[in-house]
Amino acid sequence: MAGISQDWEPVVIRKKAPTSAARKDEKAVNAARRVGAEIETVKKSNAGTNKAASSSTSLNTRKLDEDSENLTHDKVPTELKKAIMQARMDKKLTQAQLAQVINEKPQIIQEYESGKAIPNQQIISKLERALGVKLRGKK
């Protein structure tokens, strides 16, 4: 064990240099001013504005204003809602039970039967399977 010796050299630990975000910090800028360091300020051209988002919309604004066409989503046709209701009644199911069978919320069945829903082919095919009737024959 005679060959082992200890190294008693001092170890100096320093903080890391500040990151770019920390250099832009108000405290850091003020400290640099006090010391007399050189500070570079750059004004961003679109700072604080939302020009990027609004520049393309101004071109279409007139078109949208002049467009008088009333656009609406398709609603469930009367034949379909009556067919769903009739098939559900024949199976003696409530709206909630039917919804549980097709793994959807009861509100969806309610919307389909009242004609307020936007037709979704996936849901209609689930209803066809659960009720054992064809609901999309005429389209």
Side-chain angles (χ1 to χ4, degrees):
M1 293 253 202
I4 298 176
S5 65
Q6 290 187 339
D7 184 16
W8 292 100
E9 290 293 313
V11 177
V12 179
I13 299 174
R14 292 193 176 98
K15 283 184 169 181
K16 284 191 224 171
T19 61
S20 62
R23 275 186 254 132
K24 293 176 188 171
D25 186 17
E26 193 175 343
K27 285 181 183 178
V29 172
N30 287 337
R33 282 189 183 131
R34 274 188 300 250
V35 173
E38 195 172 307
I39 299 170
E40 181 184 350
T41 56
V42 180
K43 184 177 183 331
K44 293 184 179 176
S45 59
N46 286 341
T49 64
N50 200 5
K51 288 182 182 175
S54 63
S55 62
S56 62
T57 56
S58 61
L59 304 173
N60 297 327
T61 309
R62 182 181 290 142
K63 269 188 198 175
L64 289 171
D65 287 343
E66 290 172 356
D67 191 10
S68 61
E69 191 177 347
N70 190 8
L71 302 173
T72 57
H73 287 290
D74 292 336
K75 298 285 185 209
V76 176
T78 311
E79 315 89 57
L80 178 62
K81 66 182 187 182
K82 284 182 180 174
I84 292 171
M85 249 186 272
Q86 189 60 50
R88 180 177 59 80
M89 299 289 197
D90 292 345
K91 287 258 185 176
K92 295 181 173 62
L93 292 171
T94 65
Q95 289 180 343
Q97 289 169 332
L98 177 58
Q100 195 171 12
V101 169
I102 67 166
N103 201 18
E104 294 289 344
K105 293 180 182 172
Q107 180 185 352
I108 290 179
I109 304 300
Q110 211 172 10
E111 288 173 353
Y112 269 83
E113 288 188 1
S114 66
K116 294 178 183 169
I118 299 169
N120 181 341
Q121 297 306 315
Q122 262 185 323
I123 293 175
I124 295 172
S125 67
K126 284 183 189 179
L127 287 167
E128 286 178 336
R129 267 183 265 128
L131 297 170
V133 294
K134 189 135 175 75
L135 300 170
R136 302 177 282 189
K138 293 162 189 156
K139 287 187 180 179

